[in-house]
Amino acid sequence: MAKSEIFNKIFNAFILIGMAIVTIIVTAIKLGDADSGHTMLIIAAVGSLMGVLSTVLSANGRILTFLFGLIDVTIYGVMCLLGAKYGNAALHLLYFLPMQFVGFFQWRKRGAAEGERVRARRLSGRQWLLFGSIFLAGLLAAYFILCALDKTEAAGVIRWLVLMDALSMMCNILGQLLLSTAYMEQWFFWIGVNIASVIMWVLTLRQSPDSSYALIYVVKYSFYLLNSLNGLRIWIGLSRFDQQSS
């Protein structure tokens, strides 16, 4: 077995086992707090574990990512709605949810099946310019729209919680599109999603220390960030043939 495969197995086990242990510990601690929403906490914990499993499978180019992703995005979308993260709520329930089905069928067309990884590809320079322009325009539009909708954060020069919500939203949209069509560059957007999401939920926790599920999502997206870095490494290799043949 190649060294890279051995490393990948160990890293995947670390992400999955580490996330499970931390989630169980945090959940148990929060369950002991009488003021916490126990039902939402348990649901958030289950969704987080499904999400981590989905992202690990995605990083490895496995089509089962869409099965576990379906569970994760549904739960997370509802939690965002309850936490007044309207951008992410709409994103997950109205976009991510149906895109799980789109991605499944697109990956099947690119050779993904049981035991087989998807055939990855890379963006051209012109496609990079297009996606970059869409990202910047969408980020500005999302920020100002969410500022008008959100009433939970005091106004300032920059409303950081809203900005992180908008940044996460745009990275999610483009990341999911590139994931569903098997482009390696999706991982740059997922890295952006995870950094923005960690900051967003940390800010939420600072504003509402009694939030029973915010800490779960801080932990979740910290593990996601590590996995997205590994996913970038793997998909650079998976898409190398596409670069050589273009």
Side-chain angles (χ1 to χ4, degrees):
M1 183 181 295
K3 290 183 178 180
S4 60
E5 288 297 322
I6 295 175
F7 169 81
N8 201 41
K9 288 182 180 294
I10 294 174
F11 187 88
N12 291 341
F14 165 74
I15 293 292
L16 293 172
I17 296 173
M19 180 63 184
I21 291 174
V22 173
T23 300
I24 291 171
I25 292 174
V26 171
T27 302
I29 293 173
K30 284 292 186 178
L31 283 174
D33 183 358
D35 296 329
S36 296
H38 293 176
T39 301
M40 288 196 300
L41 178 62
I42 293 173
I43 293 174
V46 171
S48 293
L49 291 175
M50 294 297 99
V52 169
L53 182 55
S54 174
T55 57
V56 168
L57 290 168
S58 175
N60 287 272
R62 305 298 184 182
I63 198 168
L64 280 176
T65 180
F66 298 107
L67 172 62
F68 297 101
L70 183 66
I71 301 172
D72 175 46
V73 299
T74 302
I75 292 176
Y76 187 68
V78 173
M79 291 300 174
C80 284
L81 188 62
L82 295 175
K85 308 296 184 298
Y86 301 115
N88 270 278
L91 173 72
H92 282 74
L93 297 176
L94 301 179
Y95 177 66
F96 264 21
L97 191 58
M99 284 298 285
Q100 301 306 306
F101 299 98
V102 173
F104 177 82
F105 290 110
Q106 287 296 316
W107 278 35
R108 285 289 296 272
K109 292 180 180 179
R110 295 196 60 80
E114 184 178 353
E116 296 294 331
R117 290 179 172 179
V118 67
R119 295 194 305 272
R121 49 187 173 178
R122 299 188 184 184
L123 294 175
S124 65
R126 183 173 298 179
Q127 288 173 317
W128 256 118
L129 182 60
L130 174 63
F131 274 92
S133 300
I134 293 173
F135 172 75
L136 291 176
L139 178 61
L140 289 174
Y143 174 74
F144 288 111
I145 291 172
L146 293 176
C147 279
L149 293 174
D150 188 271
K151 307 299 181 183
T152 62
E153 186 181 5
V157 177
I158 298 179
R159 299 173 66 178
W160 291 104
L161 192 57
V162 176
L163 178 61
M164 292 302 105
D165 195 11
L167 180 61
S168 175
M169 179 180 178
M170 286 308 303
C171 285
N172 266 304
I173 290 173
L174 296 182
Q176 180 63 58
L177 179 59
L178 293 174
L179 166 63
S180 296
T181 48
Y183 280 99
M184 177 273 293
E185 288 81 2
Q186 63 173 290
W187 293 104
F188 295 116
F189 290 102
W190 292 135
I191 291 170
V193 167
N194 297 327
I195 292 174
S197 296
V198 168
I199 295 172
M200 182 180 72
W201 286 107
V202 166
L203 292 174
T204 298
L205 197 60
R206 289 180 60 186
Q207 291 183 0
S208 305
D210 293 332
S211 175
S212 63
Y213 50 87
L215 185 56
I216 288 288
Y217 286 124
V218 171
V219 173
K220 170 184 174 178
Y221 281 101
S222 296
F223 275 93
Y224 273 22
L225 179 57
L226 293 176
N227 185 69
S228 61
L229 294 171
N230 190 48
L232 176 61
R233 178 188 67 84
I234 294 172
W235 278 62
I236 286 175
L238 290 177
S239 61
R240 187 169 292 123
F241 176 78
D242 178 71
Q243 185 184 45
Q244 292 172 349
S245 62
S246 60

